[in-house]
Amino acid sequence: MCGIVGYIGPKEAYPILVKGLKRLEYRGYDSAGVALLNGNGIEIFKKQGKVIKMEGIMPSETPKATLGIGHTRWATHGIPSDENSHPHYSQSKNIAIIHNGIIENYASIKERLQGRGFTFKSDTDTEVLVNLIEDILLSEKVALAEAVRIALNQVVGAYAIAVIEEGNHDQIVVAKKGSPLVIGIGEGEYYIASDATPFIEYTKQAVYLEEEELAILSLSNGMELKSITNEIKTPYVQELEIELESIEKGGYDHFMLKEINEQPKSIFDTLRGRLLVNEGTIQLGGFNEFKNKFLSADRIIIVACGTSWHAGLVAEYLIEDLARIPVEVEYASEFRYRNPIITERDIVIAVSQSGETADTLSAIKLAKEKGATIFGVCNVVGSSIAREAHAGAYTHAGPEIGVASTKAFTAQVTIFTLIALTLARKKGTITESKFRQLINELDGMPDKVAETLKVDAQAKYIASVYKDVANCLFLGRGINFPVALEGALKLKEISYIHAEGYPAAEMKHGPIALIDEEMPTVVVATKTEHYEKVVSNIQEIKAREGKIIAVVTQGDTVISKIADHVIEVPYVDERLSPLVTSIPLQLISYHIAVMRGCNIDQPRNLAKSVTVE
Ligand code: F6R
């Protein structure tokens, strides 16, 4: 949902901005632009399309500047176009701004400014904000930072902004509410970005802005941090742990493929230091602090979106089955708008890879107001949801850059397995021998996932057979029903093939009408409690000439005789099975999308971090 980047210091700004924008393209790729400040004033270069398109319009000699800001857009107000691209000038061209977020009351402010003689070149809410700043600067005769602060007190909505001013070579003003903004502190220089990836090779010292904070980054005076209500704050500088290699493709054609293949390691990293097999225990720091709340909770409500919501559904099966605590899983966007009944005895778990999803963040703010205990399961350290939660557990999957989520899903499922087992043991709803068996199996999951990844060639072959279909059905039962939903989401988002996930038994209540010889159905049919029933569901499809791609347990001799294709995965306890059954579905989607010539890491219309509601 838009990426922002900025630099002030002794170095050439443009190469830093461009490299940073490319790393932030996962946040949107409708347009890209930079504003550079030098002796000629503020020069803006911007273009609809990806960063590479913007590079194409740059003069052969890029203007020299040591201060600049850049933006990659995911369109909200106004179509993707050159005019609507950021940065935006103020009317006098003395101020330039980049913005991630939405100014909800932009229309009334625009009208007011138009009445005061301002004209607008774009349809964006951002151009309204920069002119509001200019209007205040001129009418109140205050400095830039103060004008920004006053303006932000007048806007409703979300923003991460960076503002620069003609002739002011010493300063960038930044502020944040609802959208992320991190400041990198180098030697006599500052970086700003939506996440730390644009500056990770330059500095590991970072300050994450909190809600409604404003910072003045000045080469002569250092960093000044305050709230938009003018309360002076002390910056909390933290040491980042991300390594450069983790945000590069490392020889893979796409980030998605790299991230699929990283799953043995990401699951291992999620378990590391938490699953202590030799001692027969699980240590989940953030969880221990609130374990009594969990144990006495009336229910657990899980809120999330997209893939994270699917991981939440897996969690429902795990926690209810093992720990016997009622769980409700809600789309964050629906939860907050239906006046939900939440009490102090509820635990609300927010699941989010990015930790920035606006709907999930708003849902937990609402639940917090009503007294619930908020637990975050996030991947991005220091993200807004992680900071808003009372406690939480990071998934430690490493940066996920491909827009389609893969390793974050399996890491989230891994965390939930740890939570469910911990709760079950504390509540006495699991026998000691079952607990030991499951933690031993969980410990072996990185190896089982590595073994599962060997189905890649088979997945590629299946992809070649079905790459041109118009529709595809995904079925699963029990804990593998969410895996079917996730399989369908992966296929539709990266290959643009219409796909639906269904509980296998629900098929006969409607979707079976879709089945004919053109329609492939991917069925998760591993050896579980529901195995026989799933075999019957497969028979029902075959009786209607549908094509079956079945994910089965190694050595299955029954389904291989009925299905058109089988992909074998290693046997694991049913409760852990999503960690292996999701892998072939990721691979099939990936290969189909490659064969259809789709943009794997940046599918059309999507962005990775959805910071608008
Ligand atoms: C699907 C996908 C999205 C996200 C969703 C939530 O591959 O990536 O559906 O899962 O936007 O994002 P997070 O987990 O960052 O809250």
Side-chain angles (χ1 to χ4, degrees):
M1 294 291 125
C2 301
I4 65 170
V5 62
Y7 176 75
I8 179 167
K11 298 186 190 121
E12 248 332 285
Y14 177 71
I16 296 171
L17 299 179
V18 169
K19 203 198 279 178
L21 286 178
K22 286 185 177 162
R23 291 199 185 141
L24 292 177
E25 266 192 326
Y26 73 86
R27 301 182 67 86
Y29 25 87
D30 287 333
S31 65
V34 293
L36 301 167
L37 175 63
N38 57 25
N40 300 330
I42 300 174
E43 290 188 80
I44 290 184
F45 303 90
K46 56 186 189 178
K47 187 78 194 146
Q48 181 186 345
K50 296 190 165 199
V51 180
I52 198 160
K53 285 261 174 68
M54 180 204 78
E55 286 181 284
I57 61 156
M58 292 306 287
S60 52
E61 240 183 84
T62 316
K64 298 265 175 266
T66 54
L67 191 166
I69 52 178
H71 187 270
T72 176
R73 177 167 188 248
W74 187 83
T76 57
H77 290 61
I79 55 162
S81 68
D82 293 351
E83 294 71 35
N84 289 335
S85 310
H86 299 215
H88 288 284
Y89 279 125
S90 62
Q91 176 146 291
S92 68
K93 295 198 170 175
N94 279 342
I95 304 175
I97 193 170
I98 46 171
H99 169 215
N100 166 207
I102 291 182
I103 305 301
E104 289 169 12
N105 58 341
Y106 81 102
S108 58
I109 300 175
K110 187 171 184 176
E111 221 177 278
R112 199 172 82 211
L113 291 171
Q114 278 166 333
R116 291 170 61 77
F118 281 85
T119 53
F120 294 85
K121 297 184 177 51
S122 76
D123 308 318
T124 65
D125 49 343
T126 307
E127 196 188 4
V128 175
L129 179 56
V130 72
N131 279 319
L132 176 63
I133 294 169
E134 175 154 293
D135 188 35
I136 294 168
L137 193 122
L138 296 175
S139 58
E140 309 270 322
K141 303 203 176 0
V142 288
L144 177 69
E146 183 59 4
V148 171
R149 193 189 70 74
I150 297 171
L152 293 180
N153 278 286
Q154 296 181 21
V155 303
V156 176
Y159 52 80
I161 54 167
V163 189
I164 59 173
E165 184 184 23
E166 159 95 58
N168 192 347
H169 296 261
D170 184 55
Q171 208 178 70
I172 300 184
V173 178
V174 296
K176 166 218 147 87
K177 181 185 175 194
S179 300
L181 198 151
V182 54
I183 299 164
I185 306 169
E187 290 285 323
E189 59 181 5
Y190 292 104
Y191 301 83
I192 61 142
S194 301
D195 70 34
T197 55
F199 57 77
I200 199 67
E201 65 260 58
Y202 308 113
T203 179
K204 294 253 161 72
Q205 306 290 306
V207 173
Y208 286 86
L209 282 199
E210 297 288 343
E211 289 301 90
E212 303 198 336
E213 278 185 351
L214 177 149
I216 305 164
L217 307 174
S218 155
L219 292 181
S220 55
N221 292 326
M223 179 192 309
E224 189 186 330
L225 185 66
K226 55 167 81 169
S227 70
I228 64 161
T229 52
N230 223 1
E231 187 193 333
I232 299 296
K233 304 257 190 111
T234 310
Y236 168 61
V237 183
Q238 50 180 285
E239 179 85 17
L240 298 170
E241 282 175 15
I242 316 169
E243 293 305 328
L244 187 58
E245 308 80 72
S246 67
I247 57 165
E248 291 181 333
K249 279 195 200 139
Y252 286 95
D253 289 342
H254 303 101
F255 280 111
M256 182 181 178
L257 186 60
K258 176 184 178 228
E259 287 155 10
I260 291 173
N261 280 285
E262 275 173 351
Q263 288 175 105
K265 177 169 184 309
S266 51
I267 294 172
F268 178 82
D269 288 343
T270 305
L271 294 173
R272 195 207 325 248
R274 292 164 162 171
L275 180 63
L276 309 173
V277 178
N278 293 339
E279 290 147 46
T281 58
I282 293 169
Q283 285 295 342
L284 261 179
F287 171 81
N288 282 343
E289 211 185 312
F290 280 84
K291 72 170 181 286
N292 292 334
K293 283 253 180 195
F294 268 92
L295 293 173
S296 61
D298 285 343
R299 61 181 175 161
I300 294 173
I301 304 167
I302 299 178
V303 290
C305 304
T307 291
S308 296
W309 184 76
H310 297 153
L313 287 178
V314 174
E316 180 180 25
Y317 282 89
L318 287 169
I319 297 172
E320 291 200 340
D321 177 30
L322 292 170
R324 313 302 300 149
I325 301 174
V327 178
E328 289 169 20
V329 188
E330 303 260 7
Y331 283 117
S333 53
E334 288 297 317
F335 173 77
R336 49 181 299 231
Y337 287 115
R338 63 170 178 73
N339 195 11
I341 300 165
I342 308 163
T343 73
E344 286 165 12
R345 291 176 58 81
D346 288 327
I347 302 264
V348 173
I349 304 184
V351 195
S352 177
Q353 186 287 128
S354 62
E356 300 294 345
T357 300
D359 287 320
T360 311
L361 187 57
S362 303
I364 59 170
K365 283 184 177 160
L366 174 81
K368 207 172 169 184
E369 269 164 36
K370 297 195 178 222
T373 300
I374 314 295
F375 190 86
V377 173
C378 297
N379 193 38
V380 176
V381 176
S383 54
S384 302
I385 293 172
R387 280 180 289 132
E388 187 68 31
H390 294 112
Y394 283 116
T395 40
H396 296 312
E400 191 182 64
I401 292 166
V403 164
S405 191
T406 52
K407 65 175 180 173
F409 173 76
T410 45
Q412 289 162 347
V413 169
T414 304
I415 283 283
F416 278 120
T417 312
L418 292 173
I419 291 176
L421 284 167
T422 309
L423 285 171
R425 197 184 209 190
K426 300 249 186 271
K427 290 196 74 160
T429 50
I430 191 169
T431 61
E432 192 55 23
S433 63
K434 187 73 193 169
F435 179 83
R436 291 271 176 170
Q437 177 223 317
L438 285 174
I439 64 168
N440 278 324
E441 276 207 43
L442 190 54
D443 190 47
M445 285 316 289
D447 290 339
K448 297 275 182 181
V449 171
E451 196 183 334
T452 309
L453 284 165
K454 293 185 187 147
V455 303
D456 184 52
Q458 238 182 317
K460 194 169 179 179
Y461 170 71
I462 292 169
S464 71
V465 177
Y466 295 102
K467 68 179 177 9
D468 296 319
V469 297
N471 300 289
C472 187
L473 198 57
F474 286 76
L475 302 178
R477 283 189 92 127
I479 201 165
N480 280 300
F481 158 53
V483 173
L485 293 179
E486 176 57 9
L489 177 61
K490 284 292 87 82
L491 186 64
K492 67 185 134 192
E493 71 181 329
I494 59 166
S495 72
Y496 320 138
I497 293 175
H498 170 243
E500 297 223 33
Y502 249 81
E506 263 303 294
M507 184 197 53
K508 55 189 174 295
H509 299 287
I512 200 163
L514 296 169
I515 302 291
D516 61 16
E517 65 281 5
E518 302 290 316
M519 175 79 149
T521 302
V522 179
V523 190
V524 181
T526 43
K527 284 276 165 56
T528 62
E529 203 191 320
H530 313 288
Y531 176 74
E532 310 294 342
K533 298 220 174 351
V534 177
V535 173
S536 304
N537 299 142
I538 293 175
Q539 298 279 22
E540 287 154 15
I541 294 170
K542 283 313 294 174
R544 285 151 185 92
E545 298 187 7
K547 298 278 185 295
I548 293 285
I549 302 150
V551 175
V552 301
T553 306
Q554 271 166 8
D556 187 310
T557 50
V558 177
I559 295 179
S560 52
K561 296 199 186 84
I562 328 168
D564 298 272
H565 312 269
V566 291
I567 292 196
E568 293 193 345
V569 295
Y571 174 80
V572 295
D573 186 283
E574 179 172 355
R575 296 168 189 89
L576 306 180
S577 61
L579 293 174
V580 291
T581 53
S582 54
I583 307 288
L585 308 196
Q586 295 169 349
L587 287 167
I588 291 172
S589 296
Y590 169 78
H591 287 300
I592 287 184
V594 171
M595 288 169 196
R596 288 167 72 94
C598 298
N599 188 331
I600 305 297
D601 288 330
Q602 293 165 349
R604 71 180 178 208
N605 304 339
L606 289 174
K608 189 145 189 77
S609 184
V610 185
T611 54
V612 294
E613 291 172 22

